[in-house]
Amino acid sequence: MKKIEAIIRRTKFDDVKDALLEADIEWFSYYDVRGVGKSRQGRIYRGVVYDTSCIERILISIIVRDKNVEKTVSAILKAAKTGEIGD
C-alpha cells in the first residue's frame, strides 16, 4: 500500500477527479489548503487592498495498492498539468 498526495490547482480538480475515476480509483479524500507564494501583489477590490501571496489549492490524498501506483500518478500528472509556473 502507498499513500499518494498531490496539491493541485482548484480549477483542475474536476479534470483530476475524472481522470482518477477512469483509472479505476474510486475513492480519495481532498482538502482545501492554502500556501504562501513567492510573488506578492496588492489588488484593490471596492476600495479594500487584498494580499495575493496566499495561494488556494486542493490537496488530494489517496491510498492505493502497489499495483495501482503508476496509473494513479500518471492520471494525476496528465490531468493537473497546465504548463504554467506552480504546477
Side-chain angles (χ1 to χ4, degrees), residues 38-52:
K38 203 174 190 181
S39 64
R40 297 175 188 263
Q41 299 175 359
R43 293 195 180 166
I44 299 173
Y45 178 73
R46 294 189 178 188
V48 178
V49 178
Y50 291 94
D51 183 20
T52 59

Side-chain angles (χ1 to χ4, degrees), residues 24-78:
D24 295 327
I25 305 301
E26 298 174 350
W27 194 90
F28 63 89
S29 55
Y30 67 94
Y31 311 93
D32 291 326
V33 295
R34 293 183 184 179
V36 177
K38 203 174 190 181
S39 64
R40 297 175 188 263
Q41 299 175 359
R43 293 195 180 166
I44 299 173
Y45 178 73
R46 294 189 178 188
V48 178
V49 178
Y50 291 94
D51 183 20
T52 59
S53 65
C54 181
I55 302 168
E56 295 185 358
R57 297 284 192 254
I58 293 180
L59 170 70
I60 296 176
S61 179
I62 310 166
I63 298 177
V64 296
R65 293 187 175 133
D66 291 334
K67 66 180 183 177
N68 294 331
V69 170
E70 290 298 323
K71 71 178 182 178
T72 303
V73 171
S74 65
I76 293 171
L77 289 175
K78 286 180 185 175

Side-chain angles (χ1 to χ4, degrees), residues 5-17:
E5 290 186 334
I7 297 175
I8 62 168
R9 296 175 187 265
R10 297 175 68 92
T11 56
K12 299 301 275 183
F13 177 71
D14 289 331
D15 296 337
V16 172
K17 180 177 68 171

